[in-house]
Amino acid sequence: MSMLLIQKQPLPLSVRPRTTLRQCRLPTTRFSAAAADSASRAAPFAVEDYLVAACHLTPAQALKASKVLSHLKSPSRPDAVLAFLSGLGLSDADIAAAVAYDPKLLCSEVERTLAPRLAELRDLGLSPSQIARLALVDPARFRRPTVVSKLQYYVPLFGSFENLLQALRNNAYLLSSDLERVVKPNVAFLVECGLDACDIAKLSIPVPRLITTNPERVRAMVERAEAVGVPRGTGMFRHALLAVAFLSEEKIKAKAEFLKTTFRWSDAEVGVAVSKLPLVLKHSKDRLRRMSEFLITKVGLEPEYIAHRPALLTYSLERRLMPRHYVVNYLKENGLLEQDRSYYTAVQMSESAFMDKFICPYKEAAPSLALDYAAACRGEVDASYDHSHLLGFYSPFLPCRGKLEAILNQRRFRNKTVWEINPLWTSQKHLLSESFVLDYLKVGQTCYLQQGSFGEILKANWRGTPIAVKRILPSLSDDRLVMRRPMQKVFTLKTPQLVHTVVYFQLFCFCYWFV
């Protein structure tokens, strides 16, 4: 028995290797964790790479923003912020713009800062999309507690959140300015000057710093507005304040002197014009020079007349003043419009009213007028073109044809020359090339008839109608007197065989008449 017991003792020993194996595995696990931790310390959080990969910044933007975020050791907080912004509905491009504008936004605590601010803004009645746009306008102010109280003041002042948002895009200081010391005193003073909330909101968009600047500067602006002849409480006061808001007294005096010289105004006339149109002080000198040259030299308006109607200076020279002058002058020259009809009245009309009054009634008498006017409004007429000679728009001969149609429809001829060479035509070959005219009139189907001292007579065809063509000899095309003589004879002829006349002049000059 004793011998058996001794042999059974090794049985417990056979378990020891398993126990030893388990005990050896634990240090291995601890060693792996320690190695991983050591490896993480060896490779710190790469902020610049994170900004490019996760926030979609450009390498240049990431390099600049990483200097502000160099203290970040982990992406956990930035990841939470990105998830929050995505939840607002911001796209990757929006998030990139917000982070580039305010990199410290990634350091915000979502639970303690961003989420509570979101709840407060929702309580104000803002929709998620409005909150998202607000966050994009000024991410730095968006996360501050004061944003709520300022929105409570600004939204009623501007009339709507959309109006406020437009003002914020021009002046982010609205959310950072002191309401009690700066904004509210400025608004109260402007109300004393006769402006209501709507006027102040409209002014704050073109003049963003109006209500956020020093109150003393606002009082100085009001004094300058009164100095140009616009008293407080008048309907023009808001425009005067807009014109002189950030102009010094020296600049205002210099612009008044420029107006006096350019438009040949007296001091009194300058005062009249500025009081009626204060924004003329903000017009560029080049624009004012061109306006003066056209209205006084080309249209023939008196300086005093313009001073009492400065609204003329608010319209586009190329798109409104010139085309309508062409039309009015054209109709007057052909006896289709009373000579005393006011050009100023024609300019003031809306486009539809102008068409009804000055274009549509003359479709038969001047069929090309509508096309010519449309071409002029599209800018296809050189601004320096002198209309006193001929209404020369895109088509080289349609205006003159319309003029002669008007004469023929009235059953009378005029003993005067109604054409004149426009020197600009010689440089506008892309519009008035000889081939263009030949194609349009189909003069290519010609038959030589006779040659004279000044030119040659050809028989041709235009739109199925036989025509006679007198072509001035190229050697005489620069002699204006030579070309005037045959034209005077053509326009004074009274014969039933002469049905219609069309005139076209360029480097090679043509005279067309229907027979």
Side-chain angles (χ1 to χ4, degrees), residues 19 24 28 32 62 112-113 120 181 193 212 224 256 266 354 465 470:
T19 306
C24 290
T28 302
S32 300
R112 296 180 57 183
T113 302
E120 292 171 344
R181 296 182 180 180
C193 294
T212 59
R224 291 196 295 272
S266 64
F354 182 81
T465 303
K470 181 174 183 179

Side-chain angles (χ1 to χ4, degrees), residues 68-358:
V68 183
L69 305 174
S70 58
H71 62 283
L72 286 178
K73 304 301 180 184
S74 168
S76 58
R77 183 171 292 184
D79 283 344
V81 172
L82 294 180
F84 175 83
L85 296 177
S86 297
L88 286 178
L90 298 182
S91 64
D92 290 341
D94 292 336
I95 294 175
V99 173
Y101 179 83
D102 180 27
K104 290 185 177 181
L105 178 63
L106 295 176
C107 303
S108 303
E109 293 188 23
V110 173
E111 297 301 327
R112 296 180 57 183
T113 302
L114 299 181
R117 203 69 61 243
L118 176 62
E120 292 171 344
L121 293 174
R122 282 177 173 171
D123 291 340
L124 289 179
L126 299 184
S127 66
S129 63
Q130 290 175 327
I131 296 173
R133 284 183 289 161
L134 178 64
L136 285 176
V137 169
D138 193 348
R141 304 309 189 278
F142 165 75
R143 60 180 187 270
R144 294 186 180 180
T146 55
V147 69
V148 178
S149 60
K150 289 181 178 178
L151 288 179
Q152 288 175 328
Y153 176 79
Y154 284 132
V155 172
L157 175 65
F158 284 87
S160 69
F161 176 80
E162 300 301 325
N163 293 340
L164 171 60
L165 201 63
Q166 185 177 358
L168 285 173
R169 291 192 180 101
N170 297 328
N171 182 16
Y173 289 108
L174 283 169
L175 294 180
S176 60
S177 298
D178 192 314
L179 280 180
E180 301 301 327
R181 296 182 180 180
V182 177
V183 178
K184 289 184 178 180
N186 284 338
V187 171
F189 176 67
L190 293 174
V191 171
E192 291 178 6
C193 294
L195 302 180
D196 56 20
C198 182
D199 293 330
I200 296 172
K202 290 180 179 178
L203 274 174
S204 297
I205 294 175
V207 190
R209 295 177 294 163
L210 178 64
I211 61 176
T212 59
T213 195
N214 188 297
E216 293 301 321
R217 293 191 66 183
V218 175
R219 293 182 180 274
M221 293 177 194
V222 171
E223 292 176 359
R224 291 196 295 272
E226 292 180 308
V228 299
V230 184
R232 305 182 189 184
T234 61
M236 196 57 65
F237 180 73
R238 173 169 65 89
H239 302 282
L241 196 58
L242 173 60
V244 304
F246 290 97
L247 288 179
S248 63
E249 293 183 3
E250 292 75 17
K251 289 184 177 180
I252 294 175
K253 290 180 181 179
K255 183 56 73 71
E257 190 64 29
F258 178 81
L259 290 170
K260 181 178 177 181
T261 303
T262 304
F263 288 93
R264 310 171 196 172
W265 286 339
S266 64
D267 291 334
E269 289 169 343
V270 171
V272 170
V274 173
S275 65
K276 291 190 172 186
L277 184 69
L279 288 175
V280 72
L281 296 172
K282 300 194 73 174
H283 289 185
S284 69
K285 291 184 177 181
D286 179 66
R287 173 184 170 83
L288 292 172
R289 284 193 193 97
R290 290 164 54 237
M291 285 286 188
S292 171
E293 180 181 356
F294 178 75
L295 293 175
I296 296 176
T297 306
K298 300 293 177 65
V299 181
L301 300 180
E302 293 294 331
E304 183 182 2
Y305 183 91
I306 300 173
H308 286 82
R309 296 162 184 82
L312 282 166
L313 307 179
T314 64
Y315 299 110
S316 169
L317 179 61
E318 291 78 12
R319 300 293 185 267
R320 190 162 187 139
L321 295 181
M322 292 184 67
R324 296 196 179 185
H325 169 63
Y326 295 153
V327 171
V328 171
N329 202 33
Y330 174 81
L331 295 175
K332 286 182 178 180
E333 285 182 353
N334 289 280
L336 301 175
L337 193 67
E338 300 85 351
Q339 292 295 321
D340 59 351
R341 180 67 69 90
S342 171
Y343 168 65
Y344 179 60
T345 302
V347 169
Q348 280 188 310
M349 290 181 178
S350 66
E351 185 65 19
S352 59
F354 182 81
M355 293 293 294
D356 292 340
K357 295 280 187 179
F358 292 89

